[in-house]
């Protein structure tokens, strides 16, 4: 199994998109990219920890490749909104690909460049590529939040 980690706004909706994909064996929501150890949701919501809300995706590379996951990531959020998605505002909602190795970094850079070159968006793509560091798992009530409520998507 392999890991992929994405920040695309509120982690509830992002998790639900990946959770239901063929080849994905598991998802967990949490926090990454900041300075505070073991942050709580309340800590991250202060916008002072530097962490992004992220989804860590476990996948079987024999069934789905990393590039497909990156495509799904870009197709399911607005990568031109800096530090926000819809009504959610703050650095914790930034668009970010957290790469786990050099191959993931290369694929992320290539997919971002292709998206920019496509002209799909009139505004600049602001998605960052950041080296994955410690994944701090979010509180249990955030895990599969939408699925537990019979929902398939968020308000955005």
């Amino acid at each position: 199994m392999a890991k992929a980690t994405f920040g695309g706004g509120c982690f509830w909706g992002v998790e639900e998109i990946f959770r239901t994909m063929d080849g994905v064996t598991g998802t967990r929501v949490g926090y990454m990219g900041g300075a505070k150890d073991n942050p709580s949701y309340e800590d991250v919501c202060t916008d002072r920890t530097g962490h992004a809300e992220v989804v860590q995706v476990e996948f079987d590379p024999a069934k789905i490749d990393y590039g497909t996951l990156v495509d799904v990531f870009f197709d399911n959020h607005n990568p031109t909104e800096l530090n926000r998605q819809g009504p959610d505002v703050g650095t914790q909602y930034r668009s970010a690909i957290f790469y786990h190795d050099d191959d993931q970094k290369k694929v992320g850079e290539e997919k971002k460049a292709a998206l920019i070159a496509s002209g799909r968006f009139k505004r600049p793509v602001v998605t960052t590529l950041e080296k994955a560091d410690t994944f701090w798992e979010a509180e249990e009530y955030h895990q599969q939040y939408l699925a537990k409520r019979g929902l398939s998507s968020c308000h955005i």
Side-chain angles (χ1 to χ4, degrees):
M1 294 302 136
K3 287 183 196 171
T5 307
F6 302 102
C10 174
F11 46 33
W12 297 339
V14 179
E15 179 186 33
E16 190 61 17
I17 290 159
F18 287 113
R19 188 185 69 77
T20 58
M21 291 179 64
D22 289 336
V24 170
T25 58
T27 56
R28 298 301 284 175
V29 298
Y31 317 107
M32 187 177 282
K36 184 173 176 56
D37 288 351
N38 200 25
S40 68
Y41 179 70
E42 290 75 19
D43 292 333
V44 173
C45 284
T46 67
D47 199 20
R48 292 192 307 250
T49 66
H51 286 291
E53 289 191 12
V54 299
V55 177
Q56 191 153 89
V57 179
E58 183 179 277
F59 67 100
D60 181 348
K63 294 184 178 178
I64 189 167
D65 64 57
Y66 181 73
T68 300
L69 296 174
V70 175
D71 288 338
V72 168
F73 167 71
F74 278 128
D75 287 345
N76 285 281
H77 82 294
N78 184 342
T80 70
E81 290 193 323
L82 183 62
N83 298 327
R84 71 174 302 146
Q85 284 295 298
D88 298 326
V89 178
T91 57
Q92 70 269 32
Y93 300 116
R94 68 186 178 271
S95 174
I97 296 171
F98 290 90
Y99 59 89
H100 291 267
D101 58 36
D102 289 340
D103 289 337
Q104 286 188 357
K105 181 180 181 183
K106 181 178 181 210
V107 170
E109 289 170 341
E110 290 170 350
K111 294 288 187 176
K112 180 179 174 181
L115 180 64
I116 292 166
S118 76
R120 181 173 154 198
F121 295 100
K122 294 180 189 215
R123 296 186 341 215
V125 173
V126 296
T127 303
T128 59
L129 278 92
E130 304 177 35
K131 184 166 179 45
D133 56 11
T134 304
F135 172 74
W136 301 100
E137 193 168 297
E139 298 81 354
E140 186 58 36
Y141 69 92
H142 288 295
Q143 307 302 326
Q144 297 186 14
Y145 184 89
L146 295 177
K148 290 175 187 173
R149 288 154 180 79
L151 302 170
S152 61
S153 64
C154 283
H155 59 282
I156 57 172

